[in-house]
């Protein structure tokens, strides 16, 4: 695995705790993630990942004191989160875990509502670093470290901290319209039959069955409702119900809170003993225009204008595909309306949203504009590589939608 480029202070912590972390290789080999989680929990005076080991917290603190990086929890927190834009609240009212976390859209929303993230997991290395740069914690990778059939319920119980909300935007590619079409075209399986991504829902359910959070909060593509003649969604609902949870779902269009028409299926499930009669919050029918988030300066115009060759290719393929009634099309965006859905492949050619320009070829959205389309604040740290940034924002949840739903959830569990 390529070494993560962490802050010098966290590297000091990692080196101080490395031999202790190596004692847990039977559970995880991601020592950087483990020491990062330990440091983050200690700094915020929260329970650490302990794997059932008694007095582990005291052992960690003693080691950090000997290495000179721990004098007090407050000082540890200050040094650990010095350059982090999104710090946990000093008033923590609930705990959550962030699975398939991407760049932390769920975390941003829930943390701003005074939640503490007890554990994060994301397999993509570039997304892990964006997450770390913004929240100060390096996510674990493969979720199967926690949910594999080789891990007993008792070990899983000690491995994952207790939490009130399990949040997960589990992989959508096996269920999305584009993903299904692509897999069919090359003869690959999709949905739950996709071996690498389609079965990850059941890993979430394994964790739910052991940890019993108050709420399961999920997001996926709207196509998940109709995938495989609605059998997929029926399986999801039945599985959640069988574990003793209610099931509530709604397809929500984000265009009333951000200038992007993005329809996603949100699922909110309460543990039955809480006796919650839940309803999703209302989202206005009005929409926000794309022009409201566009950057306007000559440098952007030059850097993001597409080439003559690419623009001519878009027009040629659009005309051909319209004539045959299938395939992609590329049109100039109407700046008075919300954009089309931002997708992970946007950085390839920008066809989903082309910004018209006077006396010039259209341009692509900038990464900062993509961040705005997903509701990320201006101080969110964006990857320097454009293609990486486009992919990450295209895969993200829409933060203001998550925030509004989360507020409605918290009314029932506080």
């Amino acid at each position: 695995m390529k070494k993560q480029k962490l802050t010098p202070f966290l590297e000091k912590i990692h080196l101080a705790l490395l031999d202790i972390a190596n004692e847990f290789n039977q559970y995880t080999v991601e020592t950087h993630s483990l020491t990062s989680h330990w440091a983050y929990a200690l700094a915020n005076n929260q329970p650490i990942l302990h794997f059932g080991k008694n007095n582990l917290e005291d052992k960690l603190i003693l080691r950090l004191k000997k290495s000179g990086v721990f004098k007090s929890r407050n000082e540890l927190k200050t040094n650990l989160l010095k350059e982090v834009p999104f710090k946990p609240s000093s008033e923590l009212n609930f705990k959550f875990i962030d699975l398939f976390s991407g760049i932390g859209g769920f975390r941003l929303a829930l943390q701003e509502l005074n939640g503490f993230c007890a554990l994060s997991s994301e397999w993509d290395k570039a997304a892990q670093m964006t997450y770390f740069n913004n929240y100060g914690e390096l996510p674990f990778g493969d979720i199967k470290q926690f949910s594999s059939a080789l891990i007993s319920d008792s070990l899983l119980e000690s491995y994952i901290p207790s939490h009130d909300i399990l949040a997960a935007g589990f992989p959508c590619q096996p269920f999305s319209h584009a993903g299904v079409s692509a897999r069919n075209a090359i003869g690959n399986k999709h949905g739950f039959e996709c071996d690498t991504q389609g079965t990850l829902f059941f890993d979430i359910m394994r964790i739910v069955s052991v940890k019993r959070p108050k709420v399961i909060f999920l997001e996926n593509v709207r196509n998940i409702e109709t995938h495989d003649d609605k059998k997929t969604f029926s399986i999801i609902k039945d599985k959640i119900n069988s574990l003793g949870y209610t099931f509530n779902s709604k397809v929500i269009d984000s265009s009333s809170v951000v200038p992007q028409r993005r329809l996603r299926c949100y699922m909110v499930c309460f543990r039955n003993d809480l006796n919650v009669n839940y309803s999703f919050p209302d989202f206005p029918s009005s929409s926000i225009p794309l022009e409201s988030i566009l950057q306007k300066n000559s440098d952007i115009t030059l850097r993001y204008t597409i080439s003559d060759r690419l623009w001519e290719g878009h027009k040629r393929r659009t005309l051909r595909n319209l004539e045959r009634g299938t395939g992609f099309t590329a049109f100039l965006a109407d700046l008075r309306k919300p954009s089309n859905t931002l997708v992970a492949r946007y950085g390839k050619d920008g066809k989903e949203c082309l910004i018209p320009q006077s006396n010039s070829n259209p341009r692509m959205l900038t990464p900062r504009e993509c961040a705005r389309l997903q509701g990320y604040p201006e101080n969110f740290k964006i990857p320097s590589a454009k293609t990486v940034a486009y992919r990450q924002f295209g895969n993200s949840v829409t933060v203001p939608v998550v925030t509004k739903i989360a507020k409605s959830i918290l009314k029932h569990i506080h």
Side-chain angles (χ1 to χ4, degrees):
M1 184 183 78
K2 185 179 179 180
K3 184 179 178 181
Q4 305 283 7
K5 295 180 180 179
L6 306 178
T7 62
F9 183 73
L10 188 58
E11 283 292 354
K12 289 181 181 179
I13 291 175
H14 176 69
L15 291 174
L17 301 180
L18 181 58
D19 62 329
I20 302 177
N22 283 332
E23 295 176 15
F24 300 99
N25 273 350
Q26 58 183 306
Y27 311 122
T28 175
V29 296
E30 296 177 345
T31 54
H32 271 98
S33 297
L34 182 55
T35 55
S36 173
H37 274 73
W38 278 343
Y40 195 87
L42 290 172
N44 289 282
N45 200 23
Q46 295 294 317
I48 62 167
L49 298 173
H50 57 78
F51 310 101
K53 302 292 184 180
N54 294 327
N55 303 317
L56 179 59
E57 181 172 320
D58 293 338
K59 187 176 181 180
L60 297 176
I61 291 175
L62 180 61
R63 181 61 59 83
L64 291 175
K65 284 182 176 179
K66 286 183 176 180
S67 68
V69 296
F70 187 101
K71 294 181 181 178
S72 70
R73 291 182 189 269
N74 285 338
E75 185 177 289
L76 177 62
K77 185 174 182 178
T78 297
N79 291 328
L80 188 66
L81 304 180
K82 187 180 298 183
E83 299 178 7
V84 172
F86 305 103
K87 301 174 177 63
S89 169
S90 58
E91 181 183 344
L92 300 174
N93 295 329
F94 66 97
K95 296 177 183 178
F96 65 94
I97 64 172
D98 193 8
L99 307 182
F100 310 103
S101 59
I103 57 175
F106 269 111
R107 181 169 187 149
L108 183 58
L110 294 170
Q111 191 166 278
E112 289 295 306
L113 296 173
N114 297 333
F116 180 78
C117 184
L119 181 140
S120 56
S121 173
E122 166 57 43
W123 73 274
D124 182 85
K125 299 303 181 185
Q128 283 183 346
M129 288 310 301
T130 301
Y131 194 102
F132 172 75
N133 290 335
N134 283 282
Y135 308 106
E137 179 183 82
L138 185 68
F140 286 96
D142 190 354
I143 193 177
K144 291 185 181 294
Q145 293 174 94
F146 314 112
S147 56
S148 165
L150 299 176
I151 297 174
S152 67
D153 285 356
S154 60
L155 180 56
L156 194 154
E157 172 63 43
S158 66
Y159 194 79
I160 295 182
S162 296
H163 52 280
D164 301 294
I165 300 175
L166 182 153
F170 62 103
C172 64
Q173 290 86 352
F175 308 105
S176 70
H177 180 73
V180 170
S181 297
R183 283 169 167 78
N184 281 336
I186 59 177
N188 284 354
K189 296 177 180 179
H190 56 82
F192 287 139
E193 294 184 359
C194 174
D195 295 331
T196 55
Q197 292 180 307
T199 61
L200 292 174
F201 166 76
F202 298 105
D203 292 276
I204 298 173
M205 293 299 99
R206 172 85 196 286
I207 294 171
V208 168
S209 69
V210 174
K211 298 303 299 186
R212 309 294 297 162
K214 293 178 181 177
V215 182
I216 309 167
F217 186 8
L218 307 176
E219 181 262 7
N220 211 287
V221 292
R222 65 170 173 172
N223 194 55
I224 200 167
E225 285 193 323
T226 56
H227 179 266
D228 196 15
D229 293 326
K230 301 183 179 180
K231 293 176 184 176
T232 295
F233 205 59
S234 178
I235 291 171
I236 290 173
K237 180 180 178 180
D238 290 347
K239 182 62 178 178
I240 290 174
N241 286 158
S242 73
L243 292 177
Y245 287 80
T246 64
F247 184 85
N248 307 278
S249 67
K250 187 175 183 179
V251 172
I252 296 173
D253 180 359
S254 66
S255 61
S256 67
V257 291
V258 294
Q260 176 194 185
R261 187 174 183 272
R262 187 182 192 88
L263 281 82
R264 288 294 185 267
C265 180
Y266 293 87
M267 291 158 267
V268 174
C269 314
F270 286 87
R271 210 172 57 211
N272 285 343
D273 63 286
L274 298 175
N275 295 315
V276 173
N277 184 17
Y278 178 75
S279 296
F280 280 90
D282 292 327
F283 285 79
S285 57
S286 59
S287 60
I288 301 174
L290 175 58
E291 62 188 357
S292 65
I293 58 91
L294 295 181
Q295 296 175 283
K296 298 178 177 67
N297 62 58
S298 56
D299 180 56
I300 286 172
T301 299
L302 291 172
R303 289 176 61 199
Y304 293 91
T305 297
I306 65 174
S307 67
D308 291 340
R309 181 178 179 181
L310 181 56
W311 181 222
E312 290 303 317
H314 278 332
K315 291 189 288 186
R316 184 173 60 253
R317 284 186 291 271
T318 294
L319 181 61
R320 183 181 69 230
N321 289 341
L322 286 173
E323 289 175 347
R324 65 186 188 133
T326 186
F328 83 82
T329 55
F331 296 104
L332 296 178
D334 185 341
L335 304 187
R336 299 165 299 177
K337 298 179 179 180
S339 75
N340 292 329
T341 301
L342 185 64
V343 295
R345 67 163 305 283
Y346 180 75
K348 183 177 180 180
D349 54 28
K351 69 179 179 62
E352 292 81 10
C353 185
L354 294 169
I355 307 302
Q357 301 183 110
S358 300
N359 303 316
S360 177
N361 294 344
R363 70 169 177 87
M364 293 176 61
L365 293 164
T366 70
R368 177 58 64 189
E369 289 167 341
C370 292
R372 293 171 180 175
L373 286 184
Q374 294 286 40
Y376 284 86
E378 292 300 290
N379 59 335
F380 189 86
K381 294 184 178 181
I382 296 175
S384 56
K386 289 191 296 183
T387 301
V388 171
Y390 287 133
R391 183 175 70 249
Q392 291 179 2
F393 288 117
N395 282 331
S396 176
V397 295
T398 305
V399 177
V401 175
V402 173
T403 298
K404 192 166 184 176
I405 297 172
K407 287 179 178 178
S408 71
I409 291 172
L410 294 176
K411 291 178 182 178
H412 296 286
I413 67 171
H414 275 166

